[in-house]
Amino acid sequence: MPDTVKHVGTPAESQLSLLPLLTLDCIILGFHEDQLRVLLLRWKGTQEWSLPGGPVRKDESVDAAAHRILKERTGLDQIFLQQFHVFGDVKRYEREEIREKLKHVVDPEKWYERAVSIGYYALVDYSKVTPMPDAFTEECQWWDIQEIPPLLFDHNHMIDAALRALRMQLSWQPIGYNLLPDQFTMPELQRLYEMILGRTLDPRNFQRKILALGIVDRLEARRKGGAHKAPYLYQFNKARYEALLTEGNLSFS
Amino acid sequence: MPDTVKHVGTPAESQLSLLPLLTLDCIILGFHEDQLRVLLLRWKGTQEWSLPGGPVRKDESVDAAAHRILKERTGLDQIFLQQFHVFGDVKRYEREEIREKLKHVVDPEKWYERAVSIGYYALVDYSKVTPMPDAFTEECQWWDIQEIPPLLFDHNHMIDAALRALRMQLSWQPIGYNLLPDQFTMPELQRLYEMILGRTLDPRNFQRKILALGIVDRLEARRKGGAHKAPYLYQFNKARYEALLTEGNLSFS
């Protein structure tokens, strides 16, 4: 339920229990088959997509609301998530356009004139997510970050802002740790960072840097299958990884 | 006007023009005599201090509200400011304690049960600021960051969070550029970064690194006065500085 509509579909008594004119929107990121992906919702009876989101209840913290919404959309309890920006412009999108596009889902009279939205990004293990639509939508699906369609509201802008924040926080947040499965290959790790940085990296420099940082341990087992020589598998050395993050020294660029 | 009180002192008709239950709080930082300082307000007839803050009007963006509040408190029009965190816990502080402490300034009945606050930090040229109290306060003054008294609300926590955000953004934001006067010495620049990082840096390594980055130009003039040999003056090379920030490569640590 993105943006200004979240108070609409709920009965009057539960509207009273929501913080007014304040909403969350969540950029839920996963990494699969060398692609960074984001979870989007399709509104009932339309081809219109948006980010997941929703209101904050009066008896829950803003962070708890984000965790609740993420659990509802992904089925996951423990998710790494991070506030990254408040979208607080007076006119964040063309309201009349939204009212028209969604008139069969939401009574156009019920849209607020303005709401402030707190943007969160979440990093999830793609393989563990069970995408689930909400009361206004009928499909919840992963989209490659490079193939995002034009979204409702200001949600394309929000995704751009989330990626910019991720890039800035690459040295400080356990990004690889949360997006990759327990075991991964060096090319997979490199590809993840290339997707976030938006540019290619030299494989030999990347591998040398990662190994010098000491944040991964090489496993005995190799990745099975595939035509080439089986690549080594790695896992994060969590203690070392977190120590570097604390200092802000985990620079991959 | 920090936190939940900001709708209190305004007439009923103008309360209607404010976003409900949403406030801003501003950590305004300056650098003077080798100290990082923060601007605090003392409430009328009390010895209670807090951060500057206030509500958002329905017809202004959240960022515009922050600029307005900053201008009211500092007299400055062009300020570098940055959202850094939303403080959204259900119970951010002991309400009864606040009601009691400020009962001669604000009718205790008029406090909200809950408000969400958006935290901004602002970086200003200390010498250009004219501190001004607001309607609830009678003193607006700089405090050394290491000598902050116990503040009202959750404002000590907010300052800690702002400094943590600054540290994380040291490679990405024009922090020195906004906090230092046009011309400065190398020890002044070093001291600023030591204050933000919370640790001492080796002077020779620091100077070598700064010069290698090419972000400062040495001037012909030297700093006058003082018992020692007059130190060189520098100014930022803005083009080079901004190019490095764009890449996130301005690491001083």
Side-chain angles (χ1 to χ4, degrees), chain B residues 12-23:
Chain B
E13 64 271 25
S14 73
Q15 289 197 33
L16 290 174
S17 70
L18 302 175
L19 292 185
L21 307 191
L22 185 71
T23 72

PDB file of all heavy atoms in Angstrom, chain B residues 12-23:
ATOM      1  N   ALA B  12      -4.889  29.030  16.896  1.00  0.00           N
ATOM      2  CA  ALA B  12      -5.643  27.891  16.353  1.00  0.00           C
ATOM      3  C   ALA B  12      -5.652  27.875  14.827  1.00  0.00           C
ATOM      4  O   ALA B  12      -5.466  26.829  14.217  1.00  0.00           O
ATOM      5  CB  ALA B  12      -7.073  27.915  16.885  1.00  0.00           C
ATOM      6  N   GLU B  13      -5.818  29.041  14.201  1.00  0.00           N
ATOM      7  CA  GLU B  13      -5.935  29.033  12.739  1.00  0.00           C
ATOM      8  C   GLU B  13      -4.637  28.595  12.068  1.00  0.00           C
ATOM      9  O   GLU B  13      -4.634  27.924  11.052  1.00  0.00           O
ATOM     10  CB  GLU B  13      -6.404  30.397  12.192  1.00  0.00           C
ATOM     11  CG  GLU B  13      -5.451  31.556  12.418  1.00  0.00           C
ATOM     12  CD  GLU B  13      -5.724  32.254  13.746  1.00  0.00           C
ATOM     13  OE1 GLU B  13      -6.281  31.614  14.663  1.00  0.00           O
ATOM     14  OE2 GLU B  13      -5.380  33.424  13.871  1.00  0.00           O
ATOM     15  N   SER B  14      -3.494  28.942  12.690  1.00  0.00           N
ATOM     16  CA  SER B  14      -2.250  28.540  12.044  1.00  0.00           C
ATOM     17  C   SER B  14      -1.902  27.094  12.372  1.00  0.00           C
ATOM     18  O   SER B  14      -1.177  26.440  11.639  1.00  0.00           O
ATOM     19  CB  SER B  14      -1.109  29.485  12.424  1.00  0.00           C
ATOM     20  OG  SER B  14      -0.703  29.260  13.740  1.00  0.00           O
ATOM     21  N   GLN B  15      -2.447  26.548  13.481  1.00  0.00           N
ATOM     22  CA  GLN B  15      -2.262  25.115  13.738  1.00  0.00           C
ATOM     23  C   GLN B  15      -2.847  24.287  12.619  1.00  0.00           C
ATOM     24  O   GLN B  15      -2.345  23.226  12.273  1.00  0.00           O
ATOM     25  CB  GLN B  15      -2.921  24.718  15.059  1.00  0.00           C
ATOM     26  CG  GLN B  15      -2.183  25.248  16.272  1.00  0.00           C
ATOM     27  CD  GLN B  15      -2.586  24.523  17.554  1.00  0.00           C
ATOM     28  OE1 GLN B  15      -2.895  23.341  17.530  1.00  0.00           O
ATOM     29  NE2 GLN B  15      -2.592  25.247  18.649  1.00  0.00           N
ATOM     30  N   LEU B  16      -3.952  24.769  12.065  1.00  0.00           N
ATOM     31  CA  LEU B  16      -4.596  24.054  10.969  1.00  0.00           C
ATOM     32  C   LEU B  16      -3.679  23.959   9.766  1.00  0.00           C
ATOM     33  O   LEU B  16      -3.818  23.081   8.936  1.00  0.00           O
ATOM     34  CB  LEU B  16      -5.889  24.760  10.568  1.00  0.00           C
ATOM     35  CG  LEU B  16      -7.016  24.663  11.589  1.00  0.00           C
ATOM     36  CD1 LEU B  16      -8.194  25.508  11.151  1.00  0.00           C
ATOM     37  CD2 LEU B  16      -7.438  23.200  11.753  1.00  0.00           C
ATOM     38  N   SER B  17      -2.736  24.879   9.666  1.00  0.00           N
ATOM     39  CA  SER B  17      -1.883  24.895   8.486  1.00  0.00           C
ATOM     40  C   SER B  17      -0.589  24.121   8.689  1.00  0.00           C
ATOM     41  O   SER B  17       0.335  24.211   7.901  1.00  0.00           O
ATOM     42  CB  SER B  17      -1.563  26.339   8.109  1.00  0.00           C
ATOM     43  OG  SER B  17      -0.704  26.885   9.084  1.00  0.00           O
ATOM     44  N   LEU B  18      -0.518  23.330   9.780  1.00  0.00           N
ATOM     45  CA  LEU B  18       0.698  22.548  10.053  1.00  0.00           C
ATOM     46  C   LEU B  18       0.434  21.056   9.842  1.00  0.00           C
ATOM     47  O   LEU B  18      -0.666  20.575  10.117  1.00  0.00           O
ATOM     48  CB  LEU B  18       1.140  22.780  11.500  1.00  0.00           C
ATOM     49  CG  LEU B  18       1.437  24.230  11.903  1.00  0.00           C
ATOM     50  CD1 LEU B  18       1.739  24.320  13.387  1.00  0.00           C
ATOM     51  CD2 LEU B  18       2.590  24.797  11.079  1.00  0.00           C
ATOM     52  N   LEU B  19       1.461  20.321   9.388  1.00  0.00           N
ATOM     53  CA  LEU B  19       1.332  18.868   9.326  1.00  0.00           C
ATOM     54  C   LEU B  19       1.268  18.338  10.766  1.00  0.00           C
ATOM     55  O   LEU B  19       2.088  18.707  11.598  1.00  0.00           O
ATOM     56  CB  LEU B  19       2.523  18.250   8.597  1.00  0.00           C
ATOM     57  CG  LEU B  19       2.640  18.529   7.098  1.00  0.00           C
ATOM     58  CD1 LEU B  19       3.804  17.727   6.513  1.00  0.00           C
ATOM     59  CD2 LEU B  19       1.367  18.161   6.362  1.00  0.00           C
ATOM     60  N   PRO B  20       0.318  17.466  11.062  1.00  0.00           N
ATOM     61  CA  PRO B  20       0.145  17.009  12.442  1.00  0.00           C
ATOM     62  C   PRO B  20       1.210  15.994  12.865  1.00  0.00           C
ATOM     63  O   PRO B  20       1.649  15.163  12.063  1.00  0.00           O
ATOM     64  CB  PRO B  20      -1.241  16.344  12.407  1.00  0.00           C
ATOM     65  CG  PRO B  20      -1.424  15.916  10.995  1.00  0.00           C
ATOM     66  CD  PRO B  20      -0.685  16.908  10.139  1.00  0.00           C
ATOM     67  N   LEU B  21       1.614  16.066  14.122  1.00  0.00           N
ATOM     68  CA  LEU B  21       2.441  15.034  14.767  1.00  0.00           C
ATOM     69  C   LEU B  21       3.785  14.798  14.083  1.00  0.00           C
ATOM     70  O   LEU B  21       4.400  13.749  14.254  1.00  0.00           O
ATOM     71  CB  LEU B  21       1.678  13.712  14.861  1.00  0.00           C
ATOM     72  CG  LEU B  21       0.288  13.764  15.518  1.00  0.00           C
ATOM     73  CD1 LEU B  21      -0.220  12.350  15.771  1.00  0.00           C
ATOM     74  CD2 LEU B  21       0.324  14.552  16.815  1.00  0.00           C
ATOM     75  N   LEU B  22       4.215  15.752  13.286  1.00  0.00           N
ATOM     76  CA  LEU B  22       5.498  15.626  12.607  1.00  0.00           C
ATOM     77  C   LEU B  22       6.320  16.873  12.897  1.00  0.00           C
ATOM     78  O   LEU B  22       5.812  17.987  12.781  1.00  0.00           O
ATOM     79  CB  LEU B  22       5.280  15.488  11.098  1.00  0.00           C
ATOM     80  CG  LEU B  22       6.533  15.239  10.261  1.00  0.00           C
ATOM     81  CD1 LEU B  22       7.061  13.825  10.513  1.00  0.00           C
ATOM     82  CD2 LEU B  22       6.230  15.413   8.783  1.00  0.00           C
ATOM     83  N   THR B  23       7.583  16.691  13.280  1.00  0.00           N
ATOM     84  CA  THR B  23       8.416  17.844  13.618  1.00  0.00           C
ATOM     85  C   THR B  23       9.829  17.648  13.063  1.00  0.00           C
ATOM     86  O   THR B  23      10.198  16.554  12.636  1.00  0.00           O
ATOM     87  CB  THR B  23       8.522  18.016  15.147  1.00  0.00           C
ATOM     88  OG1 THR B  23       9.354  16.971  15.658  1.00  0.00           O
ATOM     89  CG2 THR B  23       7.170  17.955  15.810  1.00  0.00           C
TER      90      THR B  23
END
